[in-house]
Amino acid sequence: MQFAELREQVVAANLALVEAGLVILTFGNASIADRAAGVLAIKPSGVEYETLRPEDVPVLDLASGAVVAGDRRPSADAPTHLFLVRAFATMGAVVHTHSPYATAWAQARRDLPCLGTTHADHFRGPVPVTRALTDAEIEADYEVQTGAVIVETFANRNIDPLAVPAVLVASHGPFVWGASVEAAVENAVVLEDVARSSYRSISLAGDIEAIAEPLLAKHFERKHGAAAYYGQPA
Amino acid sequence: MQFAELREQVVAANLALVEAGLVILTFGNASIADRAAGVLAIKPSGVEYETLRPEDVPVLDLASGAVVAGDRRPSADAPTHLFLVRAFATMGAVVHTHSPYATAWAQARRDLPCLGTTHADHFRGPVPVTRALTDAEIEADYEVQTGAVIVETFANRNIDPLAVPAVLVASHGPFVWGASVEAAVENAVVLEDVARSSYRSISLAGDIEAIAEPLLAKHFERKHGAAAYYGQPA
Amino acid sequence: MQFAELREQVVAANLALVEAGLVILTFGNASIADRAAGVLAIKPSGVEYETLRPEDVPVLDLASGAVVAGDRRPSADAPTHLFLVRAFATMGAVVHTHSPYATAWAQARRDLPCLGTTHADHFRGPVPVTRALTDAEIEADYEVQTGAVIVETFANRNIDPLAVPAVLVASHGPFVWGASVEAAVENAVVLEDVARSSYRSISLAGDIEAIAEPLLAKHFERKHGAAAYYGQPA
Amino acid sequence: MQFAELREQVVAANLALVEAGLVILTFGNASIADRAAGVLAIKPSGVEYETLRPEDVPVLDLASGAVVAGDRRPSADAPTHLFLVRAFATMGAVVHTHSPYATAWAQARRDLPCLGTTHADHFRGPVPVTRALTDAEIEADYEVQTGAVIVETFANRNIDPLAVPAVLVASHGPFVWGASVEAAVENAVVLEDVARSSYRSISLAGDIEAIAEPLLAKHFERKHGAAAYYGQPA
């Protein structure tokens, strides 16, 4: 089988989303880019997770989007994944779920504010919500335009996609990513966790202020900065 | 055993509701119509799911409602199922649950608005809530009138029951359906999921507007329209 | 072992509460009255459910409260159970939990209104909240007074304890009962379910009206009345 | 292996937090002090719970904080644990989680009020929230200052740390403790339970008053006072 390891990793990542409780039915997809080989492997469309095998995973040419291995139709969201991976050179993997709390924020069309240190450990500021797509964008080329509005959001707000590796697509749900697929899945798990706790904090206290910049920086840097000291030395 | 396959499917559908977390105790029922044979098979009343066997499943004449196979009493809600299946020729199976979030909306007597794409994938617009039954309707022929008020709701609002395959019966809970029993169960699972996310979106943002018609159409059509491209080719 | 069957039933009922997710740690207790024998068997105090054996279950004289079998200390709440069973002749078993949604209502010191048919199937009207105990009642004879304030609530509001087999003790949590222990456990499960759905309905719609009396009567009577038609004939 | 029993207890306590659903990923840590030996054993930083073995558990000198056994880097929060154990002589173990409801309160920067008897059984009054750290505190010596602000909170409000064995660190999450590690873990479980029920009570009834002092005293004393009568005699 071509791209065997890559396709096995895609299966494992999709199953990890199910085990973490982030997806139901067939509503989620994970993809991994192999930039050296110039390809992206992604979940096939509408296939149940229990029966997903590596040979079912389509492999797409990163530049053209053409299927170069596998005979299943790729996820309907593949054009969004491709758009993101092309636009953001540091991105190694993309995860799309409809995890319940993150989706609630996306449907509410609100940024997820940074209210605590678990958020700050993974996302260096609010997780932004996109603008709604225009009717023309929806009708012409919907999945490509979904990628485009994510990139537009990060450009307009000058956000580094590895500092805030997630977005809430308005009226839709989260896309999450990372340099590695392990990081992308972990970020998706944490996004749901903080979407949940911040939903409840706002219920308790109304529109509280985000945490102060020094606390945000402290937590993000102790995990991700040059002087990180969380975890074991490599 | 008569109607063996049909009755096995009814057992499987009822168990699928339990596994999906949509019912507790004996509070839910699924039925399947076999229009060629002119019958409807439905869960027996008050029987625990763990002990439910195909031979326990009553089979009713679709026209008269008389039991034509099986010696258990049918679900108390059988007259509602029969009314729906007679009124809506495209309906192949009906599911009734008290799944928690959908029931919360039904008790709140509010339509479930379409706030996101998972909703739009399955329900082409809001899931309507019925009016309350009158005292006379409750006292005369309660379960039949429950069916009638559902049909009235779809007629008055000019909704195609396969485009919006669910209803919230006021102060009661959801009835959900589909052309096939697999579709009916999936729609029940998705209804609960979107009832949950939209409950939370409204908590976060108040009475937000439903999604725009082009986005609603796009998502429904990419799964259900003539030009559907979600999932694998048949 | 004396009262072997009764004590086995008490163990089974306590484990059923854990399996239904109604209690954590050691925070719940079930008791069963054997009126012919003049005794009440109840969970021992502070014993973990996993290790609970029939011989650990204390058996109390119904009239005096003295332990007549078993060498473990009874639940600290035993005087409340005894008070209830003495006051209400139709009561066969009592269950006390801190199930999360019912406890939220008890802490909020609000009656649980009847907003839907699942509630009406089991509780013929609102589940009442007691008044707070006075300082003197707390200091003198706390657990007995907890029973007394429950009985006072039902007397003042003229509620039949088998028509509404549950109460919310203010700032504390639910006590639930039934003619049989199976009914008591089922009522505890349903109380938590409707406490949850009605919490959410009120979040969605504010202080909505309770369901109309005919619908309440219809559902309660179809399960419990002389002309009940839910379930299989006996 | 040095300190074998102590390090095995630390592993067991950390796993108990996972089993109780209080932590996800690697986001929580438990430590135990052995005052006779002058050491504190704590979870290593960023190690997954499934792979955690006693020999991975670092043992620190209680006075200096230096690692005296084990070759893994201690939890990044170790300076907070050390600060607490040094300041509070009655404390035998410390647990830090981001359990979801307690974290929601911490992010909302609200004291968790005592609204019911389960709270009163374990915490003799509100669980306090700390003030936010100053920028200087965050930048200089963050984890030490987190311990200091906890101690300051208990000193300013004159709270006995064994009467209220938990705190909500503002914009962060709970630290919980006890005389023994079993008590610390139980307190963490109960904190999450009461953070949940009180969140919901406030949603139902707004800012209700805390329970009266006699009820609070009654419940705390029946479990912890000199005349405690909950549980079995020792």
Side-chain angles (χ1 to χ4, degrees):
Chain A
M1 186 175 60
Q2 282 184 290
F3 305 107
E5 192 182 335
L6 181 67
R7 293 158 96 183
E8 284 163 14
Q9 288 177 321
V10 167
V11 171
N14 278 285
L15 295 182
L17 299 178
V18 177
E19 276 167 41
L22 301 184
V23 300
I24 59 163
L25 301 176
T26 59
F27 303 169
N29 40 68
S31 70
I32 308 178
D34 179 340
R35 291 183 188 273
V39 296
L40 179 93
I42 190 165
K43 181 171 173 290
S45 185
V47 172
E48 295 187 4
Y49 296 98
E50 306 90 80
T51 65
L52 187 62
R53 300 161 308 165
E55 55 267 41
D56 297 326
V57 172
V59 181
L60 313 185
D61 183 82
L62 202 46
S64 71
V67 176
V68 296
D71 52 12
R72 310 302 293 269
R73 190 188 275 178
S75 165
D77 297 314
T80 313
H81 290 243
L82 284 167
F83 198 100
L84 293 176
V85 167
R86 288 172 192 152
F88 295 138
T90 53
M91 193 180 279
V94 180
V95 163
H96 173 45
T97 79
H98 296 89
S99 67
Y101 281 97
T103 299
W105 284 89
Q107 292 188 162
R109 301 180 202 168
R110 288 183 67 161
D111 282 8
L112 176 66
C114 181
L115 300 185
T117 57
T118 300
H119 185 124
D121 283 338
H122 291 81
F123 305 104
R124 208 192 177 297
V127 176
V129 68
T130 66
R131 64 169 172 82
L133 293 180
T134 64
D135 293 0
E137 287 168 335
I138 291 165
E139 281 153 17
D141 209 7
Y142 173 60
E143 291 85 2
V144 171
Q145 296 304 327
T146 299
V149 79
I150 296 171
V151 172
E152 174 194 312
T153 302
F154 278 65
N156 283 352
R157 296 170 60 164
N158 197 24
I159 305 171
D160 169 358
L162 279 198
V164 181
V167 72
L168 304 171
V169 177
S171 307
H172 188 155
F175 282 79
V176 188
W177 52 81
S180 67
V181 67
E182 292 78 15
V185 171
E186 177 169 329
N187 289 335
V189 170
V190 174
L191 176 66
E192 181 63 10
D193 186 70
V194 298
R196 180 175 62 174
S197 62
S198 294
Y199 168 85
R200 292 173 182 160
S201 295
I202 281 178
S203 293
L204 281 170
D207 286 337
I208 46 184
E209 272 178 83
I211 65 174
E213 167 62 21
L215 185 57
L216 173 56
K218 177 71 189 179
H219 268 266
F220 192 79
E221 302 301 333
R222 89 178 189 177
K223 272 208 157 169
H224 302 277
Y229 57 94
Y230 182 93
Q232 300 301 317
Chain B
M1 187 175 62
Q2 282 184 289
F3 305 106
E5 192 183 335
L6 181 67
R7 294 158 96 182
E8 283 164 13
Q9 288 177 322
V10 167
V11 171
N14 279 284
L15 295 183
L17 299 178
V18 178
E19 276 166 40
L22 302 184
V23 300
I24 60 164
L25 301 176
T26 60
F27 303 169
N29 40 68
S31 69
I32 308 178
D34 180 339
R35 291 184 189 271
V39 297
L40 179 93
I42 190 166
K43 181 172 174 288
S45 184
V47 171
E48 295 187 5
Y49 296 97
E50 306 90 80
T51 66
L52 186 62
R53 299 161 310 165
E55 54 268 40
D56 297 327
V57 172
V59 181
L60 313 184
D61 183 83
L62 202 47
S64 71
V67 175
V68 297
D71 52 12
R72 312 301 294 269
R73 188 189 276 177
S75 165
D77 298 314
T80 313
H81 290 243
L82 283 168
F83 198 99
L84 293 176
V85 168
R86 288 172 191 151
F88 295 138
T90 53
M91 194 180 278
V94 180
V95 164
H96 173 45
T97 78
H98 296 89
S99 67
Y101 281 96
T103 298
W105 284 89
Q107 293 189 159
R109 301 180 201 169
R110 288 182 67 160
D111 283 7
L112 177 65
C114 180
L115 301 184
T117 57
T118 300
H119 185 124
D121 283 338
H122 291 80
F123 306 104
R124 206 193 179 297
V127 176
V129 68
T130 66
R131 65 169 172 80
L133 292 180
T134 65
D135 292 1
E137 287 168 333
I138 291 164
E139 280 153 18
D141 209 7
Y142 173 61
E143 291 84 1
V144 171
Q145 296 304 327
T146 299
V149 79
I150 296 171
V151 172
E152 175 193 312
T153 303
F154 278 66
N156 284 352
R157 296 170 61 165
N158 197 24
I159 305 172
D160 169 357
L162 279 197
V164 181
V167 72
L168 304 170
V169 177
S171 308
H172 188 155
F175 282 79
V176 188
W177 51 81
S180 68
V181 68
E182 292 78 14
V185 171
E186 177 169 329
N187 289 336
V189 170
V190 173
L191 176 66
E192 181 63 8
D193 186 70
V194 298
R196 180 175 62 175
S197 61
S198 294
Y199 168 85
R200 292 175 183 157
S201 295
I202 282 177
S203 293
L204 281 171
D207 286 336
I208 45 183
E209 274 178 81
I211 66 174
E213 167 62 22
L215 185 57
L216 173 55
K218 177 71 188 177
H219 267 265
F220 193 79
E221 303 302 334
R222 88 177 189 178
K223 272 207 156 170
H224 302 278
Y229 57 92
Y230 182 92
Q232 300 301 317
Chain C
M1 184 175 62
Q2 282 185 289
F3 306 105
E5 191 183 334
L6 181 67
R7 293 157 96 182
E8 283 163 13
Q9 288 177 321
V10 167
V11 171
N14 278 284
L15 294 184
L17 300 178
V18 177
E19 276 166 41
L22 301 184
V23 300
I24 59 163
L25 300 175
T26 60
F27 302 169
N29 40 70
S31 70
I32 307 178
D34 179 340
R35 290 183 188 273
V39 296
L40 179 94
I42 189 166
K43 181 172 173 287
S45 184
V47 171
E48 295 187 7
Y49 297 97
E50 306 90 79
T51 65
L52 187 62
R53 300 161 309 165
E55 55 267 41
D56 297 327
V57 172
V59 182
L60 313 185
D61 183 82
L62 203 45
S64 72
V67 176
V68 297
D71 53 11
R72 311 301 294 269
R73 188 189 275 177
S75 165
D77 298 314
T80 313
H81 291 242
L82 285 167
F83 198 99
L84 293 176
V85 167
R86 288 172 191 151
F88 296 138
T90 54
M91 193 181 278
V94 181
V95 164
H96 173 44
T97 78
H98 296 89
S99 67
Y101 281 96
T103 299
W105 285 88
Q107 293 188 160
R109 301 181 202 169
R110 288 182 68 160
D111 282 8
L112 177 65
C114 181
L115 301 185
T117 58
T118 300
H119 185 123
D121 282 339
H122 292 81
F123 306 104
R124 208 194 178 298
V127 176
V129 67
T130 67
R131 66 167 172 81
L133 293 179
T134 65
D135 292 2
E137 287 168 334
I138 291 165
E139 279 154 17
D141 210 6
Y142 173 61
E143 290 85 3
V144 171
Q145 296 303 327
T146 299
V149 80
I150 295 171
V151 172
E152 175 194 310
T153 302
F154 278 66
N156 284 352
R157 297 171 61 163
N158 197 25
I159 305 172
D160 170 358
L162 279 197
V164 181
V167 72
L168 304 171
V169 177
S171 309
H172 188 155
F175 282 79
V176 188
W177 51 81
S180 67
V181 68
E182 291 79 14
V185 171
E186 177 170 329
N187 289 336
V189 170
V190 173
L191 176 66
E192 181 63 10
D193 187 70
V194 298
R196 181 176 61 174
S197 61
S198 294
Y199 168 85
R200 292 175 183 159
S201 295
I202 282 178
S203 294
L204 281 171
D207 286 338
I208 45 184
E209 274 178 82
I211 66 174
E213 168 62 21
L215 185 58
L216 174 55
K218 177 71 189 178
H219 268 266
F220 192 79
E221 302 302 334
R222 88 177 190 177
K223 272 209 156 168
H224 303 278
Y229 57 93
Y230 182 93
Q232 300 301 316
Chain D
M1 185 175 60
Q2 281 185 289
F3 306 106
E5 191 182 336
L6 181 67
R7 293 158 96 181
E8 283 163 14
Q9 290 176 321
V10 166
V11 171
N14 278 285
L15 295 184
L17 300 178
V18 177
E19 276 166 41
L22 302 184
V23 300
I24 59 163
L25 300 176
T26 60
F27 302 169
N29 40 69
S31 70
I32 308 177
D34 179 339
R35 290 182 189 275
V39 296
L40 178 93
I42 190 165
K43 180 170 175 289
S45 184
V47 172
E48 296 188 5
Y49 296 97
E50 305 91 83
T51 65
L52 187 61
R53 299 161 308 165
E55 55 267 41
D56 296 327
V57 172
V59 182
L60 313 185
D61 184 83
L62 203 45
S64 72
V67 175
V68 297
D71 52 13
R72 310 302 293 269
R73 188 189 275 176
S75 165
D77 297 313
T80 313
H81 290 243
L82 284 167
F83 198 99
L84 293 176
V85 168
R86 287 172 191 151
F88 296 137
T90 53
M91 191 180 281
V94 180
V95 163
H96 173 45
T97 78
H98 296 89
S99 66
Y101 281 97
T103 299
W105 285 89
Q107 293 188 160
R109 301 179 202 170
R110 289 183 65 161
D111 281 9
L112 176 65
C114 181
L115 301 184
T117 58
T118 301
H119 185 124
D121 282 339
H122 291 81
F123 306 104
R124 208 194 178 295
V127 176
V129 67
T130 67
R131 65 168 172 80
L133 292 180
T134 65
D135 293 1
E137 287 168 334
I138 291 164
E139 280 154 15
D141 210 7
Y142 173 61
E143 290 84 3
V144 171
Q145 295 304 325
T146 299
V149 80
I150 295 170
V151 172
E152 174 193 311
T153 302
F154 278 66
N156 284 352
R157 297 171 59 164
N158 197 24
I159 306 171
D160 170 358
L162 279 197
V164 181
V167 72
L168 303 170
V169 176
S171 309
H172 188 156
F175 282 79
V176 188
W177 52 81
S180 67
V181 67
E182 291 79 14
V185 170
E186 177 169 329
N187 289 336
V189 170
V190 173
L191 176 65
E192 181 63 9
D193 187 70
V194 298
R196 181 175 61 174
S197 61
S198 295
Y199 167 85
R200 292 174 182 158
S201 295
I202 281 177
S203 293
L204 281 171
D207 285 337
I208 46 185
E209 273 179 83
I211 65 175
E213 168 62 21
L215 185 57
L216 174 56
K218 178 70 188 178
H219 268 265
F220 192 79
E221 302 302 333
R222 89 178 189 176
K223 272 208 156 170
H224 302 278
Y229 58 94
Y230 181 93
Q232 300 300 317

